[in-house]
């Protein structure tokens, strides 16, 4: 099967600047549903950004990313985290 190409809609909860400067914790992307991203995550190839800082990770987005992984496409973050990991805004 080939990966989908229409990204699910996302909700921008924080500005990119606020999310990048927030306290963070790492989490597997598949477990990040409902949390707010503190980083970028993209699939490469083809280099499609899946999430940007300040966006809430939805179930649809996590499922979308899982489909990329299932066909051998690696998920990357700029912090060189292990594939599929994401920095999230730390919750109190």
């Amino acid at each position: 099967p080939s990966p989908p190409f229409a990204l699910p809609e996302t909700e921008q909860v924080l500005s990119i600047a606020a999310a990048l400067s927030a306290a963070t914790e790492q989490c597997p992307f598949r477990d990040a549903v409902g949390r707010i991203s503190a980083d970028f995550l993209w699939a490469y190839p083809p280099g499609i950004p899946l999430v940007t800082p300040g966006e809430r990770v939805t179930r649809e987005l996590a499922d979308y990313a899982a489909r990329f992984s299932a066909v051998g496409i690696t998920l990357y973050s700029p912090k060189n985290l292990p594939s599929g990991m994401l920095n999230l805004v730390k919750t109190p």
Side-chain angles (χ1 to χ4, degrees), residues 41-86:
L41 184 75
W42 65 91
Y44 186 84
I48 297 171
L50 301 179
V51 67
T52 61
E55 290 181 332
R56 185 176 313 279
V57 177
T58 62
R59 168 58 48 209
E60 293 80 15
L61 193 58
D63 291 346
Y64 183 85
R67 285 180 278 187
F68 273 106
S69 294
V71 295
I73 296 173
T74 304
L75 302 179
Y76 290 95
S77 79
K79 304 279 187 324
N80 293 320
L81 299 176
S83 180
M85 295 293 287
L86 184 64

Side-chain angles (χ1 to χ4, degrees), residues 22-42:
T24 64
E25 57 190 350
Q26 293 179 10
C27 179
F29 192 72
R30 68 180 177 276
D31 297 333
V33 173
R35 304 282 306 277
I36 299 169
S37 174
D39 217 338
F40 292 90
L41 184 75
W42 65 91

